[in-house]
Amino acid sequence: MNTEQICKELAALVQDERHCIPNMANAAALLWMKMENINWAGFYTVEREGYLLLGPFQGKPACIRIPVGKGVCGTASTQDATQLVADVHQFAGHIACDAASNSEIVVPLHDAKGNVVAVLDIDSPQKSRFTDDDKLMLEECARILEAACDWKPI
């Protein structure tokens, strides 16, 4: 996987589009195609009602709503920090949308005011699948999406 190439491709995909839904959809598809040993790639948006709502994704059907602060996605949103989890079965409060997932990385995305508005979630059936290089690449993808999208206030 060429990290720099993925970021360049994502930047080209979102270059002339400000709406977050198609940009997240294309980002999920790109990551699904380019990353190896993953079984889910997609987004959850932060909703006012205190939960994360399933957004564009690639992979098996997923949990539709995740309470803020619960699971890896909810933790990433409340802590406003990337969660790189080598073994999801060791993560307290892990929500198993797909029993085949063994490792996960979740990156928060922000609006122009710095509020967390979504999370990028990638799952793998392989334990310890995600590396620090993956973390840096996915955080750069998040920054590209943050800059490209007009996020609606939550």
Side-chain angles (χ1 to χ4, degrees):
M1 167 181 71
N2 183 331
T3 296
E4 186 177 324
Q5 186 62 35
I6 290 174
C7 292
K8 284 182 181 178
E9 287 183 39
L10 179 59
L13 284 170
V14 302
Q15 181 176 3
D16 295 321
E17 180 57 57
R18 299 296 302 166
H19 197 285
C20 62
I21 298 296
N23 285 342
M24 288 188 295
N26 273 335
L30 177 68
L31 294 169
W32 178 257
M33 288 178 8
K34 299 291 184 174
M35 293 183 76
E36 296 178 359
N37 298 319
I38 64 170
N39 60 341
W40 203 87
F43 295 86
Y44 282 90
T45 58
V46 177
E47 301 298 316
R48 283 184 213 171
E49 295 80 11
Y51 61 86
L52 302 174
L53 182 66
L54 180 64
F57 72 94
Q58 299 285 313
K60 291 182 179 179
C63 301
I64 294 174
R65 286 181 172 80
I66 297 174
V68 169
K70 302 292 183 187
V72 181
C73 289
T75 299
S77 71
T78 57
Q79 291 184 2
D80 191 7
T82 299
Q83 303 294 305
L84 196 159
V85 182
D87 182 351
V88 295
H89 307 290
Q90 302 302 313
F91 188 91
H94 172 252
I95 299 169
C97 296
D98 180 356
S101 293
N102 286 307
S103 63
E104 185 171 4
I105 186 167
V106 181
V107 180
L109 284 84
H110 307 86
D111 64 13
K113 294 180 180 178
N115 300 309
V116 177
V117 291
V119 295
L120 168 58
D121 180 19
I122 313 287
D123 295 354
S124 174
Q126 176 183 324
K127 287 185 180 177
S128 300
R129 156 62 184 87
F130 302 105
T131 65
D132 287 335
D133 287 342
D134 292 318
K135 179 180 182 283
L136 292 173
M137 184 267 296
L138 293 170
E139 288 174 342
E140 178 60 23
C141 287
R143 302 304 77 86
I144 291 166
L145 287 168
E146 288 171 347
C149 294
D150 289 328
W151 300 97
K152 298 193 189 285
I154 57 170

